[in-house]
Amino acid sequence: MKKQLHIVFVAIFSMTFLSAQEVAFEEYDLDNGLHVILHQDNSAPVVTTAVMYHVGAKDEDPEKTGFAHFFEHLLFEGTKNIERGEWFKIVSSNGGNNNANTTQDRTYYYEVFPSNNLELGLWLESERLMHPIINQIGVDTQKEVVQEERRLRYDNAPYGRWREQMFINLFEKHPYRWQTIGSLEHLASATLEDFKKFNQIYYVPNNAVLVVAGDIDMAETKKMVQDYFGPIPKGAPIERKTFVEDPINAPIKAEYRDPNIQIPLILMGYRTPAQTEHDAYVLDMISTYLSSGKSSKLYKKLVDEKKMALQVFAFNGSQEDYSSYIVGGLPVGDNTLEDIKKEIDEEIAKLQTDLISERDFQKLQNKFENNFVNSNSSVQGIANSLARYYMLYDDTNLINTEIDIYRSITREDIREVAKKYLNPNQRVELEYLPEQKEAN
């Protein structure tokens, strides 16, 4: 009886705790099409101002790749009212920090300030949108920065090009086949007019969402938003192409040799549905079940018990149009890539035929409950989530309700989704190998 009461108490406590985490927000549109989301949290004197633009690597010309990521750097160069090189100085001297990042679907800029500098954050982002200076000096400077980033993170980093090599095989028609870093040759040959045109098309208020989250007064914030962003002209409607991939019906064998590694890597990639689809959420659970933590099935089997692998992993890379499910490992000792592949396939086959145990299923649910709470534990995290759910999911309130999707997933769903997508004839098999040394 005591055990039953304890279980009931824990369940009630858990529901109460999660309910207390609900994020209140208000959203509306300015006349120029800018979507605005405000979240008030006066528990700490901190505010985040963030703008997400619906432009990523997938929006680029196939002959001019790397532009979205390039703009992540370029738009810190300066504006009509901010001298070149002064952006980061202004932020740091006023007690703030800022950054930006780019994916294949969107670009995100943000500042975190003491709340008495809210107006400064809004001014900075309105300047980036309204008065950017795109000139040859800035373009040439950032070309060097991006070239160095490419060398450090991709060309000279161990396993740095695995994603690039996987995606050129996983996608034939969709722009996901190239990476956000793009082609240095494309950037080198691009003209100043090319960059100005890209900015004119995508960096417009009707292609963006502004989020202000933290210690704010709602009425004052609305006035400041209108003052700084309202005068910005609306851009022309953006035409977006649709790309539909043919199904993969037979294994695609690929090989790449990396001069920066000594241990080979096996990667198996499956093309999976868009992140808004219910099956994408199930695949999130499957990847967690297989390789999240030392108690996960693949780690425990291949690394801990059989000591066949130095590392093993599985993850669902969720994206707007298609997702990608990647699983793989690094063999150790005399074990081969084929040995690792066989062991991984055995665990996937179990998922496709048997229901996972109730105990393992409850562990999964607990992990996703914990992730949900943690994702809303900071104002900065909340700002990012609000922008992302609005722009890429078309449902801002997922910040509160997405956990219900995970809660609705059953053990039967896990079995059926594994059976539907994770089959050997539906994947790319990439052998990522050390470069062969020529004999003297």
Side-chain angles (χ1 to χ4, degrees), residues 291-334:
S291 76
S292 178
K294 294 186 176 181
S295 64
S296 62
K297 295 303 174 182
L298 289 180
Y299 185 94
K300 189 173 181 182
K301 177 183 180 181
L302 291 174
V303 179
D304 192 16
E305 295 176 356
K306 292 194 172 185
K307 296 180 171 52
M308 293 177 63
L310 183 66
Q311 184 178 343
V312 65
F313 52 85
F315 59 89
N316 186 44
S318 295
Q319 293 176 279
E320 188 174 19
D321 297 339
Y322 287 98
S323 300
S324 54
Y325 192 89
I326 312 293
V327 60
L330 297 161
V332 69
D334 295 330

Side-chain angles (χ1 to χ4, degrees), residues 281-414:
Y281 287 95
V282 180
L283 286 161
D284 284 343
M285 277 200 157
I286 291 174
S287 64
T288 300
Y289 173 80
L290 287 176
S291 76
S292 178
K294 294 186 176 181
S295 64
S296 62
K297 295 303 174 182
L298 289 180
Y299 185 94
K300 189 173 181 182
K301 177 183 180 181
L302 291 174
V303 179
D304 192 16
E305 295 176 356
K306 292 194 172 185
K307 296 180 171 52
M308 293 177 63
L310 183 66
Q311 184 178 343
V312 65
F313 52 85
F315 59 89
N316 186 44
S318 295
Q319 293 176 279
E320 188 174 19
D321 297 339
Y322 287 98
S323 300
S324 54
Y325 192 89
I326 312 293
V327 60
L330 297 161
V332 69
D334 295 330
N335 295 289
T336 66
L337 297 183
E338 194 64 33
D339 294 333
I340 301 298
K341 184 168 69 173
K342 180 182 177 183
E343 295 289 339
I344 290 173
D345 281 345
E346 284 184 3
E347 288 304 312
I348 292 176
K350 289 178 185 177
L351 278 175
Q352 294 171 328
T353 55
D354 305 324
L355 295 177
I356 68 173
S357 70
E358 284 283 5
R359 182 174 180 274
D360 285 339
F361 182 66
Q362 190 56 54
K363 282 173 60 179
L364 276 177
Q365 290 287 350
N366 292 343
K367 278 190 176 183
F368 280 89
E369 296 271 3
N370 187 57
N371 291 343
F372 169 73
V373 173
N374 288 339
S375 68
N376 292 348
S377 63
S378 72
V379 167
Q380 188 174 329
I382 287 172
N384 187 307
S385 294
L386 287 169
R388 180 167 53 90
Y389 287 128
Y390 164 75
M391 181 160 285
L392 303 180
Y393 291 78
D394 196 29
D395 184 359
T396 313
N397 199 45
L398 277 174
I399 195 170
N400 295 312
T401 62
E402 188 177 53
I403 188 60
D404 295 329
I405 299 174
Y406 288 111
R407 288 171 179 156
S408 73
I409 294 170
T410 66
R411 294 188 298 156
E412 288 78 10
D413 289 334
I414 291 172

Side-chain angles (χ1 to χ4, degrees), residues 60-270:
E60 297 162 348
D61 182 330
E63 301 303 318
K64 293 186 176 74
T65 63
F67 272 48
H69 170 257
F70 191 81
F71 266 81
E72 174 197 321
H73 294 266
L74 186 63
L75 292 186
F76 282 107
E77 274 287 309
T79 74
K80 178 181 176 181
N81 298 302
I82 301 173
E83 291 187 15
R84 184 170 178 267
E86 292 297 308
W87 191 291
F88 293 100
K89 294 178 184 178
I90 292 172
V91 173
S92 60
S93 65
N94 284 278
N97 64 79
N98 67 312
N99 214 329
N101 52 70
T102 311
T103 71
Q104 290 171 307
D105 296 319
R106 92 297 179 273
T107 307
Y108 184 65
Y109 300 85
Y110 67 91
E111 293 82 27
V112 181
F113 278 117
S115 52
N116 60 354
N117 277 326
L118 166 61
E119 189 169 5
L120 175 60
L122 292 172
W123 175 70
L124 285 167
E125 288 303 331
S126 68
E127 276 292 300
R128 193 197 310 274
L129 184 54
M130 192 174 192
H131 298 130
I133 291 180
I134 299 172
N135 58 25
Q136 199 63 51
I137 295 174
V139 166
D140 291 343
T141 301
Q142 295 308 322
K143 281 182 180 180
E144 292 181 12
V145 172
V146 173
Q147 285 173 349
E148 183 63 18
E149 181 179 345
R150 168 92 199 193
R151 285 190 288 268
L152 289 174
R153 295 179 56 189
Y154 295 83
D155 297 338
N156 298 329
Y159 307 100
R161 300 183 70 172
W162 77 262
R163 183 178 171 88
E164 173 189 78
Q165 295 302 312
M166 172 58 73
F167 276 62
I168 62 176
N169 287 283
L170 198 56
F171 294 96
E172 293 183 2
K173 302 175 183 178
H174 199 285
Y176 286 162
R177 66 185 181 273
W178 62 80
Q179 299 304 296
T180 56
I181 195 71
S183 164
L184 295 186
E185 291 76 14
H186 290 173
L187 291 176
S189 64
T191 67
L192 183 60
E193 288 307 310
D194 290 332
F195 292 111
K196 288 183 176 180
K197 181 179 178 182
F198 193 84
N199 181 79
Q200 184 180 13
I201 293 172
Y202 293 108
Y203 282 84
V204 292
N206 44 303
N207 194 44
V209 54
L210 165 69
V211 179
V212 184
D215 183 24
I216 62 174
D217 176 276
M218 296 291 276
E220 290 178 359
T221 302
K222 287 180 181 179
K223 183 180 184 307
M224 284 188 280
V225 167
Q226 179 62 41
D227 289 344
Y228 284 106
F229 290 89
I232 301 173
K234 185 175 186 177
I238 295 172
E239 297 179 8
R240 300 187 191 274
K241 297 179 180 179
T242 300
F243 301 90
V244 179
E245 291 282 349
D246 297 323
I248 299 174
N249 295 315
I252 299 172
K253 305 281 188 177
E255 178 184 304
Y256 179 75
R257 293 195 175 270
D258 187 338
N260 304 300
I261 68 170
Q262 294 180 330
I263 300 174
L265 166 68
I266 183 66
L267 290 157
M268 292 168 283
Y270 307 81

